[in-house]
Amino acid sequence: MKYIIAIIKPFKLEEVRDALGALGVQGITVTEVRGHGRQRGHTEFYRGAEYAVSFVPKVKIEIAVEASQAAKVVEAISAAAKTGQIGDGKVFVLPLDEAYRVRTGEQGVAAL
Amino acid sequence: MKYIIAIIKPFKLEEVRDALGALGVQGITVTEVRGHGRQRGHTEFYRGAEYAVSFVPKVKIEIAVEASQAAKVVEAISAAAKTGQIGDGKVFVLPLDEAYRVRTGEQGVAAL
Amino acid sequence: MKYIIAIIKPFKLEEVRDALGALGVQGITVTEVRGHGRQRGHTEFYRGAEYAVSFVPKVKIEIAVEASQAAKVVEAISAAAKTGQIGDGKVFVLPLDEAYRVRTGEQGVAAL
Amino acid sequence: MLMTSQASAAASVNKGDTAWMLVATAFVVMMTYPGLALFYGGLVRSKNVLSVLMQVTTCFCMIAILWVLFGYSLAFTNGTGAMAPYIGSFSKAFLSGVDVNSQAATFSKETYLPEYVYIIFQMTFACITPALIIGAFAERMKFSAVILFLFIWFCFSYLPMAHMVWWWAGPDAYTLSAANIANVKAAVGDSAAADFLAKLTAAGTDKDQIASVLSSYSDAVNAANGWLFNKGALDFAGGSVVHINAGVAGLVCALMLGKRVGLNKEPMAPHNLVTTLIGTGLLFVGWFGFNAGSALEASGGAAVAFLNTILGTAAAALAWSFGEAVTRKHASLLGAASGAVAGLVAITPACGFVGPMGAIVVGAAAGFICLMAVVLLKPMFGYDDALDVFGVHGIGGMVGSLLTGIFVSTKLGGQGIVNYLAVDTTTSLADYTTSGQLWIQAQDVLTAIILSGVVSFIACLICKYTVGLRVDEQSEREGLDISSHGERAFN
Amino acid sequence: MLMTSQASAAASVNKGDTAWMLVATAFVVMMTYPGLALFYGGLVRSKNVLSVLMQVTTCFCMIAILWVLFGYSLAFTNGTGAMAPYIGSFSKAFLSGVDVNSQAATFSKETYLPEYVYIIFQMTFACITPALIIGAFAERMKFSAVILFLFIWFCFSYLPMAHMVWWWAGPDAYTLSAANIANVKAAVGDSAAADFLAKLTAAGTDKDQIASVLSSYSDAVNAANGWLFNKGALDFAGGSVVHINAGVAGLVCALMLGKRVGLNKEPMAPHNLVTTLIGTGLLFVGWFGFNAGSALEASGGAAVAFLNTILGTAAAALAWSFGEAVTRKHASLLGAASGAVAGLVAITPACGFVGPMGAIVVGAAAGFICLMAVVLLKPMFGYDDALDVFGVHGIGGMVGSLLTGIFVSTKLGGQGIVNYLAVDTTTSLADYTTSGQLWIQAQDVLTAIILSGVVSFIACLICKYTVGLRVDEQSEREGLDISSHGERAFN
Amino acid sequence: MLMTSQASAAASVNKGDTAWMLVATAFVVMMTYPGLALFYGGLVRSKNVLSVLMQVTTCFCMIAILWVLFGYSLAFTNGTGAMAPYIGSFSKAFLSGVDVNSQAATFSKETYLPEYVYIIFQMTFACITPALIIGAFAERMKFSAVILFLFIWFCFSYLPMAHMVWWWAGPDAYTLSAANIANVKAAVGDSAAADFLAKLTAAGTDKDQIASVLSSYSDAVNAANGWLFNKGALDFAGGSVVHINAGVAGLVCALMLGKRVGLNKEPMAPHNLVTTLIGTGLLFVGWFGFNAGSALEASGGAAVAFLNTILGTAAAALAWSFGEAVTRKHASLLGAASGAVAGLVAITPACGFVGPMGAIVVGAAAGFICLMAVVLLKPMFGYDDALDVFGVHGIGGMVGSLLTGIFVSTKLGGQGIVNYLAVDTTTSLADYTTSGQLWIQAQDVLTAIILSGVVSFIACLICKYTVGLRVDEQSEREGLDISSHGERAFN
Ligand SMILES: Nc1ncnc2c1ncn2[C@@H]1O[C@H](COP(=O)(O)OP(=O)(O)O)[C@@H](O)[C@H]1O
Ligand SMILES: Nc1ncnc2c1ncn2[C@@H]1O[C@H](COP(=O)(O)OP(=O)(O)O)[C@@H](O)[C@H]1O
Ligand SMILES: Nc1ncnc2c1ncn2[C@@H]1O[C@H](COP(=O)(O)OP(=O)(O)O)[C@@H](O)[C@H]1O
């Protein structure tokens, strides 16, 4: 099994979720994060103080999938999240040893 | 070592923490997340606009443990987080290569 | 490739980012989390109710790096995040199978 | 207050009074909305904040309408027969007979307000009182049950209490003379008026006979006054009518509803104390309208009520903070805010009667006692009065009502007691004794406790067996904002 | 209102009136700032909240300055020549000639306010009206375009509307007598004044001739009144001048700007409904100054306007909630708040004219109709009126303006219509018919729609071809707070 | 103001004045609470917001109590001996001798307020001034040190300043006549009063002798006036007493405490600018009570102060925004809000003295100069005045105080200067020169700077060596909400 972590632009979340839904992937966990990368932040000014804010709001998506599905999921995310502009984000694939569903106690692929 | 990621219902956090405490697991990192799965969200209505909100508030717990402890930890979380109703959540176990404690520079199992 | 997860004290974020910048690491994803460990929380009191709050605000940093760079990155984070006092945090290194850049479709190390 | 559409020639409306009372009314609106809504809203968990705001909003709107339909009439007109001391009549239902020239009496002879001013001022009291109860059953009661409960409670607990404590014929009604015929008629009816005047003429210059006529006339006027008003109960701006009344209702609701799911297991800390602070501030400011407005005139009397309101509040906030600092090592903002509200509550019945130093004592006492009530009583009896309506309003109201009976004494710097039931209302009551007045105050307090307790209990039962009292556990966990109102506060 | 620096001897200023109007002015300031700013601010997404607050702030400040430079003069002085019924003159530009002793007429004979009081009271109306429009183009308009648009719209839509509906010579101007010479001169000019007085003297005791002189004098006075005022249009506190005017401007802006990026694709739920509730509450409280202040006196008339404001609001909030409960199963807080504002809008033109029961009907109607407008009209025509300025203020204003024509009738409990254009302004108009008055109200409504529509359209075009209307997509996505103002609300 | 329990027969209290002053008082309460608390609260980091709110709350409560214990008496009674021009006496400590019939003088002859009204109005000034200082030492000072510092500063800097600038005998005191004996006695004492009256009688009709008696009588009355009042310093509502006084205290505290941990390293952006906006709005509205209330009457004079307050604020907000737009490319909301407060501060001493156009100039100047002070001064001298108390209140107060001396001139549209120290207080001062008045204003400013500087320095030292000034670094990092008050704002 694989654990896929994707960092995307916030306003692309709904499209990505729909794309994953189309693939039959239902389980997703979403976190609001801030990202630092090539995309530049902005400058903020509060009375006397000026701050260069280098972090940009992003959304992190986590999805545990069967290893065989991983490529398709990565592709679906990439396609849906793409605007072609800097800051579109990353998709990371990590190995996943085991998965459990709390409610039923199911294990492995059945738990996803 | 293993890196355990669990997604649970927010009101179960205290019980899960107590269960882990009982096992001697002290180190936990907690994030507020939103989840999408079998558990359905709800519909919100703001004047003219109606939104189907498909994400449900969840809590994500991350715990790095000795590989040998992993099973016990998973079990403790599962037991404590269980309500038997849809949306109880998942536990994922990932391989963990290395761990460091910043304060002391300790490494590996000693750092957990 | 490696996926590095570090839990640090919030006010150390800027210093850690600078340290990583100095190493040439640009891509970082940051999440606000709450941690439970040796560092004790505090007690809060709201009218009749007293709560022992055992979670402390922390910042989680995630960085995907080339395997060869991992050690340097861990060291840089450790050095920058250290205050020497309890609660300084942890650095975890996980294996990373694959990485993609959404905008360009680049893959592997090139995508980091 | 006596209302008379045909005020006597001598009656005059001062635009300064009218200006002040218009503003006082707006201030009391601000207390409820947004003041109280925010004070309560900040104290619940974020998933329930809109439900609290919505309950306050709906309560305010519903009561405002009911007030003009029949509420004002039942509270502030003469009742009929044996019920007269307890409730008014429907004679001004739909505000019939009231127009822009109608006048309402104040506490001063020949000083009137436009009746519409008095109607709106009292309306705001009627609106805030039921809204106070919402804090007790917050986070778990069905919205339909909230509406039904508040409707019943308003009709059967608020209106009678207001009538019993505040309704009287007004000072000019006590002047038996042909020139004052309009007021006399309004007070005792047309035929009795003619009768009394005839007797007075017949009495000629015989002092004893005159005294006897005047005394039987006073009795006739008093017959339709509120029961507790006639007893001499002192409640300047609503210690028993508003706060004890609401506080006891809150306690009964908390007991009938049971505890919130997860209480003492999950953290239930206030979701936003800044919101609560905004509410506290607006309550404080609005309360000047509530308390100093209850003087019904722009006068030195209003100013002393205002001053006492500041002092009572300040002393209570400091007392609560001090209590916390001693027992918990920290003085918290929530503590100071709670103390401020406790002080405002306690000074409410007292503000026009006590002196500044008395106000400081009343406030300090309320601060300490309410802190103890909140910290000790709730765990001891195990009820879940979510936002401490009983602990702050119920207990605070009792402290204030009883201490009013003590600190009204001119020996303690108080303003003394005016005998409103006499022909000459400028004299202060000769036979004041602290113990006597305390007993009168206690009767006032007990009446509120019993009436509100019984009405609340029955109203809860009615809700339980009709629309149901509580939402189901799943809805409570999800939060009432989404489950009952389909929206979230923060996005 | 007639302004006369040299008020006649009989004229008197009552400090009670002054006190009330000072407070009413402060209340209307509070409606805009922070009331409206918060009401709107809570409804946008968190990345745009500061931009809304900043637009309201800048609008308020700019208009306040423009008001003393020329706005007040153009709205509230006699104009010249054929334009007189439509716009005033620059005679009081820079408030020249006004000092602390200058007086402004009210609706009652020989009752005046310090002119500075009238200036600040009307200033607050001028400030809030353009600010209302901000809700329509929120989240996407360039800051420079906002400023330019509001500047143009204020000059060419607000000022003429205020003049046409509210400007008249004041009651004392209609008294043709030597004793009242100052007012007569102010109304018709020095030489005409002498002329009319001479004719009156010449008429001797001949009733017909006197009547003819008085009638031609009235005509002369009326010649400089606002066009719609002379028609008898009823707009107590600004149904057409304020709400329809702003609502139509909002609609035009929404159409000209186009939809927000992501509309109907991304969730655009209000970022903080507690903020919106605070705004609603402060709008509600402030509106008492707006509506009851428009009586210009601390009187029973102000009190009935106050009462009607509460009742209209309450009825509308309940109606909207009821509508939602029926159609969506949930009554939401945002619904109740929207209903409350719709009720406030609709009762604005009506509050001094209708009776309490009429106010409840006006409010309930506004609650239902505005709910339908917001839910049905917007999707039907596909414009993106972000915060429903047209749906609530435009439609609500129309409902209120038209229903005022019906419920003003004394048969329906209304206050009846006073004939201000006659010598004796205490008489009510004999020839009132519902259909006749409705037609007058309709003309008032149509005038506002056409004037504001045309001015807004042209103003948008001017902005488009000078500073540009919209920010670029990237800035809109990032949020106007950062892209236009360089700051974030929450850190 | 002269207080006289036994006011002369001619003295009259107008209920319109009373109504206005009651409301003005409530408004000033609202400025502090919740206004200032929110303004400051939104600007700190979220971990310190409750500490700021708690400091403001406790400050308000403590000073309110101190005010009735001795504060009012020390500020607003005649002092004794050589100290008389600098501080009052304890003669009204515990408000002894004041009752609901006591009266306080205004600026108009024979026009009085109930003394309780004057006490509460001035109380609110005393409460807000120390609270302003809190912004300077926010986020790092020990709670116990805050309380101790504010206590000392209130006693030794606020009370003398208020006495020196505002205390005088009132206009009626200058009328030497048997009919006015009560006022004469109150002003110069019983025996001197008899003496002067005897001399006046002795003078008969000899004009020179009369003039000489009157002049020596005036001198006797003036002897107990405040030092700066006698000089003719103009401070309508508290430029030096309130703002410079507080601003300088803030600067001293910032210097004594040192910088916050992490300053210029970690981001310290305001945690919630919407909260700050709410505070700004409530400050703005409340300030009308502060400024227009300082007229002490509901009059055209109050209205012009009100108007000037709006204009000064608007001009300053626009000026600050414009300055930011030019230097930083963005006009920010925080900038506009800061400008608004700077304008409010600067117009405070000026509002009753300048004309509308003068107000715009004063506001615009304050907007620009305070922006520069905040952006340039702080980095230049390196002190950490966390919320710019010195930059906005100190500098803004100086700008306003000095410009008042210029724009009071009738040649610049100002109201001119009244000679209150003469028998006929309706005459304006003949010998006004801009440079002369500027020098008087400068003395006023310098007095505030020196007095507050010295007192603050000593008070800080006392705190340092008793309870300690700062919390430890760990507590500061954790945030004062938890470390000092045991609670968190947001859950
Ligand atoms: N090596 C990395 N490790 C973790 N997160 C990363 C890494 N590189 C980029 N990110 C995340 O992806 C986001 C987008 O990256 P950025 O470099 O701005 O754009 P792009 O991927 O289009 O070049 C960043 O804001 C950050 O959150
Ligand atoms: N494959 C997955 N990858 C990541 N998170 C998941 C996955 N499946 C479920 N989750 C998380 O677990 C939560 C519970 O899952 P859900 O399907 O609603 O209930 P259940 O586990 O009881 O069937 C989801 O809200 C989501 O946060
Ligand atoms: N085993 C673990 N798994 C996940 N997170 C951990 C673990 N141990 C510690 N942490 C995180 O690291 C933070 C610091 O740990 P703590 O034990 O308080 O201090 P220290 O590392 O200095 O001993 C914790 O608050 C928690 O967020």
Side-chain angles (χ1 to χ4, degrees), chain D residues 57-80:
Chain D
T57 304
T58 307
C59 171
F60 186 98
C61 294
M62 175 176 73
I63 304 292
I65 305 270
L66 296 180
W67 187 249
V68 297
L69 297 188
F70 61 80
Y72 172 70
S73 186
L74 285 179
F76 294 106
T77 62
N78 276 348
T80 48

Side-chain angles (χ1 to χ4, degrees), chain D residues 20 61 72 84 111 129 135 182 187 203 232 268 308 328 360 374 377 379 382 443 454 461 470 488 490:
Chain D
W20 165 235
C61 294
Y72 172 70
T111 305
T129 308
M268 294 197 174
N308 288 339
R328 310 267 165 177
I360 294 176
V374 164
L377 276 191
Q443 289 173 283
V454 171
L461 286 182
R470 270 183 90 139
R488 274 184 305 155
F490 312 110

Side-chain angles (χ1 to χ4, degrees), chain D residues 17 270 273 277 297 330-331 333, chain F residues 15 33 483-485 487 489 491:
Chain D
D17 290 337
L273 286 177
L277 185 279
E297 290 176 63
H330 292 311
L333 173 75
Chain F
K15 280 180 156 181
Y33 206 80
S483 63
S484 294
H485 305 288
E487 55 187 344
N491 287 294

Side-chain angles (χ1 to χ4, degrees), chain E residues 175 231 249 270 282 316 354 357 368 472 478:
Chain E
T175 310
K231 277 198 179 291
L282 297 181
V354 304
M357 300 305 132
F368 278 122
D472 60 64
E478 198 177 8

Side-chain angles (χ1 to χ4, degrees), chain A residues 27-29 62 64 101 103, chain B residues 7 35-39 87-88 90:
Chain A
I28 319 178
T29 300
E62 290 163 90
R101 162 170 287 133
R103 173 165 51 98
Chain B
I7 321 287
H36 184 263
R38 270 162 234 219
Q39 189 189 2
D88 272 355
K90 304 278 154 92

